[in-house]
Amino acid sequence: GAGVSQSPSNKVTEKGKDVELRCDPISGHTALYWYRQRLGQGLEFLIYFQGNSAPDKSGLPSDRFSAERTGESVSTLTIQRTQQEDSAVYLCASSLDSGPYQETQYFGPGTRLLVL
Amino acid sequence: DQQVKQNSPSLSVQEGRISILNCDYTNSMFDYFLWYKKYPAEGPTFLISISSIKDKNEDGRFTVFLNKSAKHLSLHIVPSQPGDSAVYFCAASDGSQGNLIFGKGTKLSVKP
């Protein structure tokens, strides 16, 4: 079926505004991850959802960042009161399961966020 | 303090020759390693992986080597093709968490 999709593909916002990014994982994938990549940097883990378990929020950089996922479907990443340092590509990935055996993560195309 | 390091930000190779991309890690609990390839304006795509119980995994032109004692892995591409030009990310997992720890990437340019 279709791969991971993300929307919007690009977002330009003003400092202080809230933004919401959306991720549609591959159907049947129970695990969903958010990463970001700032310019010249590697991928930085933000948050991870596994089924109905409480999400692992250990990578969220501040309390301005939050994410939700309904069941095993769509996830939204919300950034409140955006700052210029939030400018990055936000990548979503999904995998079949994240149990004892690492499953391959499949990435979406990303949302390019620019905070002016 | 980076747990996964790719010390070469870029690499240029002639078409047909071997490309060797290197990755070092510091966390001895990592037991699964992956390489992802990323084209501009696209998300990373999975390329090849290796479990810590192996020292080599091969898939077509791509081979990943793991040296656990040195905490080092490498990706070999033979023969290199211009379409291989992309940024290659090394990633690692310790199995306790779902997320992967990524390196900063190496930009490979394969010249015709």
Side-chain angles (χ1 to χ4, degrees):
Chain A
V4 178
S5 60
Q6 293 185 244
S7 61
S9 54
N10 292 281
K11 176 73 177 176
V12 181
T13 190
E14 293 179 347
K15 178 181 172 181
K17 301 279 190 183
D18 297 352
V19 295
E20 192 172 279
L21 313 179
R22 177 188 168 108
C23 172
D24 283 87
I26 293 172
S27 178
H29 280 193
T30 60
L32 185 147
Y33 315 78
W34 283 98
Y35 296 86
R36 74 175 174 183
Q37 184 182 17
R38 291 192 275 192
L39 192 63
Q41 302 296 313
L43 278 73
E44 175 189 359
F45 166 72
L46 297 177
I47 188 170
Y48 144 64
F49 296 89
Q50 171 56 48
N52 294 317
S53 303
D56 175 359
K57 304 179 182 180
S58 60
L60 294 178
S62 79
D63 58 9
R64 296 186 295 106
F65 287 72
S66 62
E68 292 183 349
R69 187 184 187 195
T70 305
E72 295 181 357
S73 60
V74 171
S75 174
T76 54
L77 176 69
T78 302
I79 308 173
Q80 295 178 308
R81 306 180 302 281
T82 52
Q83 304 294 312
Q84 288 180 333
E85 62 263 28
D86 300 334
S87 297
V89 177
Y90 288 81
L91 289 153
C92 175
S94 70
S95 67
L96 273 172
D97 192 276
S98 65
Y101 304 101
Q102 179 70 48
E103 294 282 346
T104 299
Q105 295 182 20
Y106 296 88
F107 284 81
T111 293
R112 283 148 196 80
L113 174 66
L114 177 62
V115 182
L116 300 176
Chain B
D1 56 335
Q2 277 195 290
Q3 296 188 68
V4 177
K5 300 178 183 178
Q6 293 178 258
N7 292 320
S8 297
S10 63
L11 174 68
S12 184
V13 172
Q14 203 68 32
E15 182 179 7
R17 307 294 286 268
I18 184 171
S19 295
I20 300 176
L21 298 126
N22 293 304
C23 178
D24 297 289
Y25 61 95
T26 57
N27 188 341
S28 57
M29 298 302 292
F30 287 150
D31 60 2
Y32 193 72
F33 305 88
L34 307 89
W35 284 94
Y36 281 82
K37 173 179 174 180
K38 185 179 184 302
Y39 292 117
E42 294 183 13
T45 54
F46 171 73
L47 195 57
I48 193 169
S49 62
I50 188 167
S51 164
S52 60
I53 62 173
K54 294 187 173 182
D55 56 16
K56 176 182 175 181
N57 189 25
E58 190 172 353
D59 183 1
R61 296 186 297 114
F62 302 90
T63 303
V64 56
F65 295 92
L66 175 63
N67 182 334
K68 285 182 63 179
S69 61
K71 294 192 180 68
H72 176 84
L73 65 155
S74 60
L75 174 67
H76 293 209
I77 307 173
V78 182
S80 302
Q81 299 173 355
D84 296 330
S85 297
V87 177
Y88 289 79
F89 289 99
C90 172
S93 167
D94 65 6
S96 65
Q97 295 179 304
N99 62 293
L100 297 172
I101 310 298
F102 284 84
K104 289 189 176 183
T106 297
K107 183 176 181 180
L108 173 66
S109 299
V110 180
K111 301 189 183 303

